[in-house]
Amino acid sequence: MSNVSLEEVVSLCKRRGFIYQGSEIYGGLAGTWDYGPLGLTLKKNIMDLWWKMFVENRDDMFGVDAAILMNQKVWQASGHTATFTDPLVECSNCHSRFRADKIDTSKCPTCGKEKTFGEPRQFNMMFKTFVGPSFEGGKVERVGKPIDKLGNEIEDESGIKKYDLMSYDPNSVSYLRPETAQGIFTNFKNVVDSFYPDVPFGIAQQGKAFRNEISPRDFVFRSREFEQMEIEYFVHPDKWEEAFEAWRVQVHEWFKSLGLPEDMVHELEVPQDDLAHYSKRTIDFEFDFPHGRDELLGLAYRTDFDLMNIQKASGKSMEYRPKDGSTPFVPHVIEPSFGVERALMAVLVSAYAQDEIGGDSSTGSGQEKRTVLKLPKHLAPVKCAVSPLLKNKPELVGKAREVYDMLKKDLGAVMWDDNGNIGKRYRRQDEIGTPCCVTVDFQTLEDNTVTVRDRDTTEQSRIKIDEVKFKIDFS
Ligand code: GAP
């Protein structure tokens, strides 16, 4: 079980510039979040690590970056327009709406009244939008026939048609993609034609996905706008089981690289009755979040469901022709599907700690409480903070600036910090997970050494300025 509360994580994220409520200044927009400077960098570090591990470091992977807006036929063929739904119930007393499978429907969680829910309705979670000029409020004039007061078309010489604004061209409908996966499937043929890879091979994509969740909740865990990192791994139909097992192992390697404690990660074999419409087998990897054990990512065997649907809907063959001349086949697919926000939340929860430092640890006297993010060093948004011991001594400030410029050039993610006294700076850097702090003091001016303080042990050592960068290169 996680030993940090959701409130503590949310509060640290806001206080220290990781994550803010979306549109906060106007009262917010439910299910949306804005990333501040540190959250953005942490998220990027996670995404870059994933890309390196699963795309760059392998020779069987291809990356794509498909458009978010796709032809509506994509979502018809994939089954999303028909089945990408959640069961919605509404309280007849207070009109609060909930996902029926997430609450006890005998009693309304908002007003507490009993038996106020009827039968669930299926609510499609895709955000619908219109491509091209859309008709919003008032009347729009377009070349065509004019209309009378009742909106009926009438002929005149001007050839102007006025459309009723509530109507739209059904062909202009599109959706904000609810998963990145379909941008991969629709490019399967393109990648095969351009690169002719041997099967098995994978196509990977990172990017935004949007779901009109009925009840967004638990901070960024269930949002309406989030990021996914997905792989569709194409295999011979006879080989799906071994590929599934190989990916199961890879997923655990990923958790290790995020620094998640093994005992906080659990595998859930999804029962046949609960499988998504495209899946023959799914393992949900769950994590002990502060709100309870919940899904972190999914590993699914999607069979040839998607490629066959595309083949049917587009009329284009999705068959793969092996180079050795053996029988062509439509590949089957193993899909590891990673959510960035949930990975980020798991990383924050695993790293969050409170301990006591300084003073006498045997008696506790003089000890100071601190909050520290023990982030894996390669993920830390700031690798090192540089300070002059005193900010009103120009000779210390000048030397510290030199050290800062040098480290910044070599390492990039280096922060200048001269706010408050040195103790306060350490506390602040501990809270944002900075692995080490470099302080320039009077001794530096004499022997070109600096104090380097370690975040986890709080130990301080003196290191020659020229050697600092080798000690703190955590890439
Ligand atoms: N292509 C398969 C697919 O999208 P999914 O289980 O619906 O499968 C995959 O989503 C992952 O995306 C989840 O395991 C989770 O990490 C993330 N995810 C899904 N919905 C989310 C939401 N509303 N907010 C944040 N992350 C979400």
Side-chain angles (χ1 to χ4, degrees), residues 6 10 30-33 86 98-99 101-103 211 213-224 289-295 341-342 345:
L6 196 57
V10 175
T32 66
W33 299 93
D86 269 342
F98 301 95
R99 241 177 88 169
D101 56 338
K102 295 283 174 196
I103 58 160
R211 296 185 189 178
E213 296 282 354
I214 294 170
S215 353
R217 62 176 173 87
D218 300 319
F219 196 29
V220 295
F221 180 86
R222 192 174 299 288
S223 325
R224 290 190 166 128
F289 289 101
H291 65 268
R293 187 178 289 187
D294 216 335
E295 180 187 330
E341 284 73 8
R342 292 188 190 178
M345 232 174 117

Side-chain angles (χ1 to χ4, degrees), residues 89-118 214-215 217:
V89 284
E90 182 170 328
C91 170
S92 59
N93 183 48
C94 70
H95 301 290
S96 299
R97 292 176 165 186
F98 301 95
R99 241 177 88 169
D101 56 338
K102 295 283 174 196
I103 58 160
D104 168 9
T105 51
S106 63
K107 190 172 166 187
C108 173
T110 306
C111 67
K113 243 189 148 185
E114 290 182 9
K115 298 193 181 136
T116 55
F117 293 115
I214 294 170
S215 353
R217 62 176 173 87

Side-chain angles (χ1 to χ4, degrees), residues 366-390:
Q367 284 210 301
E368 194 191 340
K369 263 204 172 139
R370 70 162 180 169
T371 299
V372 53
L373 272 190
K374 294 187 173 177
L375 292 171
K377 294 178 179 170
H378 55 276
L379 293 182
V382 178
K383 302 292 179 234
C384 153
V386 179
S387 305
L389 180 66
L390 301 168

Side-chain angles (χ1 to χ4, degrees), residues 179 211 213 221 223 226 228 230 295-297 335 337 339:
E179 60 170 16
R211 296 185 189 178
E213 296 282 354
F221 180 86
S223 325
F226 55 97
Q228 289 186 317
E230 297 201 292
E295 180 187 330
L296 178 53
L297 67 88
E335 178 195 65
S337 175

Side-chain angles (χ1 to χ4, degrees), residues 250-260 265 285 296-297:
Q250 282 296 297
V251 164
H252 284 285
E253 287 301 311
W254 167 244
F255 294 146
K256 256 190 232 161
S257 70
L258 293 183
L260 310 190
V265 176
F285 291 82
L296 178 53
L297 67 88

Side-chain angles (χ1 to χ4, degrees), residues 190-467:
N190 285 337
V191 172
V192 169
D193 289 349
S194 305
F195 299 92
Y196 202 11
D198 286 321
V199 164
F201 74 93
I203 305 181
Q205 175 165 225
Q206 299 185 330
K208 292 264 186 180
F210 305 82
R211 296 185 189 178
N212 201 359
E213 296 282 354
I214 294 170
S215 353
R217 62 176 173 87
D218 300 319
F219 196 29
V220 295
F221 180 86
R222 192 174 299 288
S223 325
R224 290 190 166 128
E225 176 177 339
F226 55 97
E227 299 216 50
Q228 289 186 317
M229 308 182 284
E230 297 201 292
I231 292 164
E232 307 305 327
Y233 198 71
F234 300 95
V235 299
H236 187 279
D238 296 342
K239 299 275 170 70
W240 77 266
E241 273 160 316
E242 66 192 69
F244 192 94
E245 177 55 21
W247 277 107
R248 196 181 67 77
V249 173
Q250 282 296 297
V251 164
H252 284 285
E253 287 301 311
W254 167 244
F255 294 146
K256 256 190 232 161
S257 70
L258 293 183
L260 310 190
E262 262 175 56
D263 60 355
M264 291 177 82
V265 176
H266 314 274
E267 286 187 15
L268 173 77
E269 184 76 43
V270 176
Q272 289 292 315
D273 288 350
D274 295 342
L275 289 173
H277 63 280
Y278 51 73
S279 172
K280 270 251 170 81
R281 182 183 176 195
T282 296
I283 293 179
D284 279 349
F285 291 82
E286 300 188 317
F287 182 77
D288 292 323
F289 289 101
H291 65 268
R293 187 178 289 187
D294 216 335
E295 180 187 330
L296 178 53
L297 67 88
L299 174 65
Y301 168 41
R302 288 182 84 123
T303 68
D304 56 0
F305 177 85
D306 300 274
L307 291 185
M308 289 305 275
N309 283 340
I310 292 174
Q311 183 165 284
K312 252 183 257 153
S314 68
K316 309 236 164 67
S317 170
M318 292 295 125
E319 259 186 359
Y320 174 83
R321 299 183 172 279
K323 286 175 195 152
D324 63 7
S326 55
T327 318
F329 58 92
V330 174
H332 281 217
V333 168
I334 305 299
E335 178 195 65
S337 175
F338 303 70
V340 178
E341 284 73 8
R342 292 188 190 178
L344 183 136
M345 232 174 117
V347 165
L348 286 173
V349 166
S350 307
Y352 189 101
Q354 284 186 318
D355 58 15
E356 297 196 350
I357 54 170
D360 181 346
S361 58
S362 60
T363 61
S365 84
Q367 284 210 301
E368 194 191 340
K369 263 204 172 139
R370 70 162 180 169
T371 299
V372 53
L373 272 190
K374 294 187 173 177
L375 292 171
K377 294 178 179 170
H378 55 276
L379 293 182
V382 178
K383 302 292 179 234
C384 153
V386 179
S387 305
L389 180 66
L390 301 168
K391 73 172 179 187
N392 58 358
K393 295 283 175 209
E395 63 276 35
L396 293 185
V397 174
K399 190 72 185 171
R401 275 282 169 199
E402 264 176 45
V403 175
Y404 169 77
D405 289 343
M406 183 190 84
L407 291 176
K408 185 116 186 119
K409 203 161 121 242
D410 289 331
L411 302 174
V414 176
M415 187 186 266
W416 173 261
D417 191 355
D418 61 4
N419 246 335
N421 63 34
I422 198 76
K424 283 206 177 118
R425 290 176 209 164
Y426 286 161
R427 284 310 82 73
R428 188 165 48 241
Q429 295 300 332
D430 286 345
E431 271 203 11
I432 65 172
T434 306
C436 74
C437 293
V438 169
T439 304
V440 168
D441 53 22
F442 291 106
Q443 193 179 327
T444 312
L445 304 178
E446 284 163 22
D447 63 5
N448 261 340
T449 62
V450 287
T451 304
V452 178
R453 182 237 188 214
D454 181 87
R455 174 195 71 195
D456 298 340
T457 62
T458 73
E459 270 165 22
Q460 302 187 12
S461 46
R462 287 211 76 88
I463 295 181
K464 282 204 167 345
I465 289 176
D466 298 345
E467 289 167 14

